[in-house]
Amino acid sequence: MGSTVALITNATIEPLYAARLRSTLAPLGKRLIQIVLPDGEAHKHWETLNLIFTKLLAERADRKTTLIALGGGVVGDITGFAAACYMRGVPFIQVPTTLLAQVDSSVGGKTGINHPLGKNMIGAFHQPQAVIADTAVLRTLPARELAAGLAEVIKAGAIADTVFFDWIETHIDALNRGDETATIEAVRRSCEIKAQVVAADEREQGRRALLNFGHTFGHAIEAGLGYGRWLHGEAVGCGMVMAATLSQQLGLIDSATRTRLKRLIAAAHLPTQAPILGSDRYLELMRVDKKTEAEHINCILLKRLGEALVMRVTDHTLRAVLTASTQS
Ligand code: NAD
Ligand code: MG
């Protein structure tokens, strides 16, 4: 771990949880540097990253200094990227404090920042040494953020594990109220699923793309409405319903399966009706999404609950789904 530890967090989380983490670290006798970033996705950019580098250099942090990210996905992504770059790479540890970060962004090694021309466009693969998730911190999380995290939990079940999907259905009320036992189980199983998928395909040459179920539609919603209007998880929730509609139209799943998924997403207090942006605008935004290749659009579809696949889909088919999704 080296003799120095840099604790990186934001202005919202620092007063809530930094003291506890500092006291946990104290017995190790390390020199502690603390860096408090401004809160929000709007600050996930180059200037904030440079703030971290400046402080690390000014404090003479060396190549063995371990960075600790205490926060949600924004702090985790930016700290991970700082760790990937500082002195050509230093170790880092994720201490995720949102449900989304605990079940998704802290695992898998994708790090990065936004560029004015695109979200998450500048980044690196850099795996954390450890991910330490304490579900007790979720008690202070706003309800909307909790629901957004549940979208990724539902996604994990939908693409990879029928038994887990059934379990989420039975425990959705407990998850909504933040029941500790249910939340721990949801975090544990979601991380297992993500870790398994990533271990088989770290650089997203194939199977890792399945984790983007609901995301191609979701990213179009986020970008089309303007970032920040809908939370990422809200857009993904709605995007999963759209992807299920598409799967049904292609004859992969029946309407009962689509309805089951839609009901669960609604039960998690996530939107299921797509905002009206116009089919042309949706298609344009879906094509810009970095997960698609030039002329056609690769979509993640459901073969059944618990199994997903990637398929090229024509504009014609997509238009029909977009029309249905914004009306039904
Ligand atoms: P976030 O980091 O912005 O956190 C949401 C809000 O909750 C913030 O205001 C934050 O300060 C606050 N907060 C965090 N923990 C809290 C707590 N315990 N109590 C009270 N408030 C708390 O958002 P997020 O949803 O955690 O992460 C979204 C980011 O994650 C996006 O930038 C997205 O691109 C990224 N992401 C990355 C990956 C990946 O694989 N690296 C995957 C998914 C998402
Ligand atoms: Mg996501």
Side-chain angles (χ1 to χ4, degrees):
M1 194 184 235
S3 58
T4 305
V5 171
L7 171 56
I8 303 177
T9 187
N10 76 22
T12 307
I13 299 151
E14 198 281 333
L16 291 170
Y17 301 113
R20 220 169 97 197
L21 188 54
R22 282 196 304 267
S23 66
T24 308
L25 290 168
L28 301 176
K30 308 281 180 194
R31 180 170 72 104
L32 187 82
I33 302 168
Q34 182 167 294
I35 307 175
V36 181
L37 309 175
D39 186 4
E41 181 77 33
H43 298 284
K44 188 178 155 181
H45 55 29
W46 181 254
E47 285 80 21
T48 312
L49 183 71
N50 211 26
L51 264 176
I52 298 176
F53 294 146
T54 303
K55 179 89 177 184
L56 291 175
L57 288 166
E59 296 278 345
R60 292 186 308 282
D62 61 15
R63 291 174 60 186
K64 287 186 175 159
T65 299
T66 297
L67 310 193
I68 301 181
L70 173 69
V74 169
V75 170
D77 277 13
I78 200 167
T79 301
F81 189 42
C85 302
Y86 187 72
M87 299 199 170
R88 299 195 184 83
V90 293
F92 85 113
I93 293 172
Q94 293 268 22
V95 185
T97 62
T98 63
L99 182 59
L100 183 123
Q102 294 193 351
V103 300
D104 189 0
S105 64
S106 64
V107 177
K110 280 191 186 178
T111 72
I113 53 170
N114 302 327
H115 185 279
L117 298 182
K119 188 166 150 50
N120 293 332
M121 285 297 162
I122 313 298
F125 287 99
H126 191 54
Q127 294 291 349
Q129 303 288 308
V131 180
I132 301 163
D134 177 356
T135 54
V137 302
L138 302 179
R139 279 186 217 127
T140 53
L141 195 65
R144 229 184 125 189
E145 298 287 350
L146 190 79
L150 285 176
E152 302 286 0
V153 174
I154 295 169
K155 180 200 75 183
I159 62 163
D161 184 349
T162 326
V163 176
F164 185 45
F165 189 90
D166 293 347
W167 181 91
I168 304 166
E169 278 184 326
T170 358
H171 292 82
I172 191 64
D173 292 337
L175 292 168
N176 285 336
R177 20 166 232 280
D179 173 84
E180 201 183 336
T181 315
T183 306
I184 288 171
E185 176 59 14
V187 171
R188 190 190 61 76
R189 189 62 193 130
S190 302
C191 287
E192 264 173 18
I193 290 171
K194 181 158 184 189
Q196 249 168 24
V197 173
V198 172
D201 174 28
E202 189 179 2
R203 303 276 158 146
E204 201 166 316
Q205 309 293 310
R207 207 176 143 64
R208 185 165 184 167
L210 300 181
L211 295 169
N212 292 324
F213 177 58
H215 282 61
T216 308
F217 290 110
H219 287 150
I221 293 173
E222 283 184 274
L225 290 177
Y227 286 104
R229 285 279 303 282
W230 281 27
L231 295 179
H232 173 72
E234 293 170 336
V236 168
C238 186
M240 287 193 284
V241 178
M242 296 165 85
T245 306
L246 179 58
S247 309
Q248 188 192 335
Q249 291 215 354
L250 292 169
L252 292 163
I253 58 168
D254 57 15
S255 79
T257 305
R258 176 187 170 276
T259 303
R260 245 184 98 183
L261 180 64
K262 186 177 174 182
R263 281 215 183 106
L264 182 56
I265 290 163
H269 306 306
L270 292 162
T272 57
Q273 166 122 23
I276 297 167
L277 303 172
S279 302
D280 287 342
R281 181 76 178 126
Y282 263 109
L283 289 174
E284 185 189 322
L285 290 163
M286 288 168 76
R287 222 170 248 113
V288 174
D289 189 87
K290 69 174 181 290
K291 277 97 191 177
T292 67
E293 290 158 27
E295 286 310 309
H296 55 271
I297 297 184
N298 277 335
C299 291
I300 319 297
L301 301 167
L302 279 188
K303 206 164 162 185
R304 59 181 178 86
L305 281 175
E307 194 175 347
L309 76 169
V310 188
M311 206 187 265
R312 292 179 177 198
V313 180
T314 64
D315 281 12
H316 180 74
T317 309
L318 282 170
R319 274 180 205 282
V321 170
L322 291 165
T323 309
S325 302
T326 44
Q327 282 169 356
S328 65

